[in-house]
Amino acid sequence: MPKPGPVFNTASDQPLALPGRWRVNIPKALWPEFEGYIWQHHRGFLLLTNIIAALAFFSYVLADALLIPDMAQTSLLLRSVLLLVAMLDIWLVFGRRRNILLMDLLMPLHDLIATVAWFELLKRSHSPDVPTFLYASLIFIVFANLGVRVSFKGAVASSLAISLVIMGNVALMNPHDSKPLLVFSLVYLPVLLFCLFMSWNTTSSVRLAFYAAQAEARSKNELSSLNRRLQMLASTDALTQVGNRRAFDLQLEQFWQQMGQHGRPFALLLIDIDYFKPYNDHYGHLAGDHVLAEVASAMVGSLRSGQARAFRYGGEEFAILLQSGRQDELRRIGQRLLQQVAALQLAHEYRPDGQPYLTISVGAALSSLAGLRHATDLLACCDRMLYRAKQQGRNQLQLATDDMAVTSD
């Protein structure tokens, strides 16, 4: 078995437990996740082994009929009752409860009851084959450890209880001769030790597999988080922290396809900072970068979360995709953008028109306008509206109507 390493919480880099050399511990903090792991990966096996063990115990009624025929009827009745009880227990434990310790130790518990019942049959039989048949009791210790997946302590406790029943009954059946008990012990003890070793190995392997699954899930989460961060970086403008041109092109095409498939109209707004070149030339590029970031932040702040997404279209131009098909709402949002940027009162003393503060111009259109056949048509329409806003004095909004959708000014 490979030497286990430290176990880390999937939500942090802090180690939760260091499995010991001979025992792999499950910290209390990880127990609910361990229960879920057992339920998902080992419930089917535990259920099947319980059913097989119950049926195997019942099948020994044939061996009883051959080797202790004087107890055949009693054996059939006893095994039938115990089979029904076992099936009821299995249904209750696996069908109605989610206790993995109970699932894990149900078969050893049934095994202990079956051991007591079987020895009662042997002690009441007068068959000469009883001394030979005694060695069939080895199957009980095998079955007690065969299905254990969770608790090695439980396997040890049940194995010792079953062994006490077996050895005690062998001694009671040979009260005046210790040799049968000695011979039986020489055969039984190696089997017991081997079964316990298998239980230890199995439970340790299951726990190590759980830790490996935790580590794999943690790696996948970290990789997924990294991929999301990289994807965000690839689609975000570093300066303004809004979407970049590539993200805009993809989103515009996606909105257009969704409109064609589901009939969901949307709106596009193109925004340009008025006289940005004179501002950049006189105040410097650092101040220009600061203004771009300020304007982007102000516009994003004026939009309701989930309603729209802003993009840097290029240079001092921005684009906003709005999930709305109403002209009045588009006008209201466009006017709000103008007001939010004006409220920043960013000084611009080098404007040719003499206004003291930095402003924006906006051109907007609905995707549902007549004559728009492609996403590029909508983009061209908004661009014409933006040009009109600039031509008519800037610091204003121009909305396209049906008669403007496919014609230039």
Side-chain angles (χ1 to χ4, degrees):
M1 182 183 300
K3 184 178 180 181
V7 180
F8 292 90
N9 188 343
T10 56
S12 69
D13 293 329
Q14 298 299 319
L16 280 179
L18 182 65
R21 184 177 180 183
W22 301 110
R23 183 182 174 192
V24 183
N25 295 312
I26 300 293
K28 187 176 180 180
L30 277 182
W31 191 259
E33 294 179 52
F34 182 62
E35 286 184 324
Y37 175 82
I38 295 297
W39 182 266
Q40 179 181 359
H41 296 280
H42 295 280
R43 176 182 176 274
F45 172 82
L46 291 171
L47 173 61
L48 189 59
T49 52
N50 271 273
I51 294 174
I52 291 175
L55 295 175
F57 174 74
F58 180 78
S59 70
Y60 267 73
V61 70
L62 299 176
D64 288 346
L66 291 174
L67 297 175
I68 48 173
D70 53 340
M71 300 301 297
Q73 291 185 351
T74 305
S75 171
L76 178 61
L77 177 61
L78 180 61
R79 291 179 186 274
S80 298
V81 171
L82 291 180
L83 177 63
L84 290 175
V85 171
M87 290 300 180
L88 177 61
D89 289 343
I90 292 170
W91 177 72
L92 290 173
V93 170
F94 287 88
R96 303 178 67 88
R97 303 188 65 177
R98 191 171 176 173
N99 187 317
I100 63 169
L101 285 176
L102 191 56
M103 287 193 304
D104 194 52
L105 298 177
L106 183 61
M107 190 165 72
L109 177 62
H110 285 161
D111 212 33
L112 176 61
I113 296 172
T115 304
V116 173
W118 188 64
F119 269 100
E120 289 303 313
L121 293 175
L122 291 185
K123 287 189 292 186
R124 286 167 171 73
S125 175
H126 300 287
S127 170
D129 294 319
V130 168
T132 302
F133 203 18
L134 276 176
Y135 287 88
S137 61
L138 293 173
I139 195 66
F140 292 115
I141 201 64
V142 173
F143 270 102
N145 291 274
L146 183 64
V148 174
R149 288 294 182 273
V150 178
S151 176
F152 178 61
K153 287 183 178 179
V156 172
S158 59
S159 294
L160 292 179
I162 292 171
S163 299
L164 183 62
V165 171
I166 292 175
M167 303 303 288
N169 276 285
V170 171
L172 287 175
M173 294 171 70
N174 298 276
H176 306 298
D177 188 0
S178 60
K179 186 176 180 180
L181 178 61
L182 176 61
V183 173
F184 184 85
S185 299
L186 292 175
V187 175
Y188 181 80
L189 289 177
V191 175
L192 171 63
L193 293 176
F194 178 76
C195 289
L196 289 176
F197 168 76
M198 292 304 298
S199 288
W200 169 81
N201 183 72
T202 300
T203 54
S204 297
S205 297
V206 167
R207 294 182 177 212
L208 288 175
F210 165 69
Y211 284 142
Q214 290 288 104
E216 182 179 2
R218 179 172 178 268
S219 297
K220 287 183 178 179
N221 288 338
E222 290 177 348
L223 181 60
S224 178
S225 177
L226 177 60
N227 286 335
R228 285 195 298 269
R229 288 198 297 270
L230 291 174
Q231 186 176 7
M232 184 182 68
L233 290 173
S235 61
T236 302
D237 179 65
L239 175 62
T240 60
Q241 297 303 304
V242 296
N244 58 22
R245 177 63 182 270
R246 176 177 177 272
F248 168 73
D249 291 339
L250 292 174
Q251 190 79 77
L252 176 62
E253 191 62 35
Q254 182 180 354
F255 272 34
W256 190 266
Q257 290 178 2
Q258 288 177 349
M259 183 183 69
Q261 294 171 359
H262 308 291
R264 298 174 184 169
F266 62 97
L268 172 63
L269 302 95
L270 286 183
I271 302 101
D272 185 77
I273 299 177
D274 296 330
Y275 299 112
F276 181 74
K277 188 177 185 307
Y279 187 97
N280 220 25
D281 291 341
H282 288 89
Y283 291 99
H285 292 290
L286 288 179
D289 289 348
H290 177 73
V291 161
L292 288 172
E294 285 281 308
V295 169
S297 179
M299 290 192 299
V300 170
S302 70
L303 302 171
R304 290 201 305 269
S305 177
Q307 180 193 31
R309 185 179 175 189
F311 305 86
R312 187 178 179 187
Y313 187 67
E316 68 273 20
E317 286 189 304
F318 295 89
I320 293 176
L321 285 170
L322 177 67
Q323 292 179 334
S324 174
R326 293 167 45 196
Q327 190 85 348
D328 59 337
E329 185 175 14
L330 178 57
R331 181 181 298 277
R332 186 169 60 252
I333 290 174
Q335 293 293 345
R336 191 190 308 158
L337 291 174
L338 293 169
Q339 294 166 6
Q340 287 290 107
V341 173
L344 295 175
Q345 293 191 338
L346 298 171
H348 192 347
E349 300 176 359
Y350 300 95
R351 292 179 60 127
D353 59 3
Q355 294 190 40
Y357 299 114
L358 185 139
T359 59
I360 59 173
S361 297
V362 183
L366 295 174
S367 63
S368 57
L369 291 178
L372 299 180
R373 302 179 184 277
H374 306 283
T376 52
D377 295 336
L378 175 62
L379 186 60
C381 179
C382 288
D383 191 55
R384 288 194 298 272
M385 293 303 101
L386 178 59
Y387 180 77
R388 172 178 286 193
K390 291 179 180 181
Q391 289 294 102
Q392 296 187 5
R394 291 179 167 82
N395 189 26
Q396 61 180 273
L397 165 70
Q398 287 292 326
L399 292 182
T401 57
D402 285 334
D403 60 324
M404 303 176 184
V406 293
T407 60
S408 59
D409 297 78

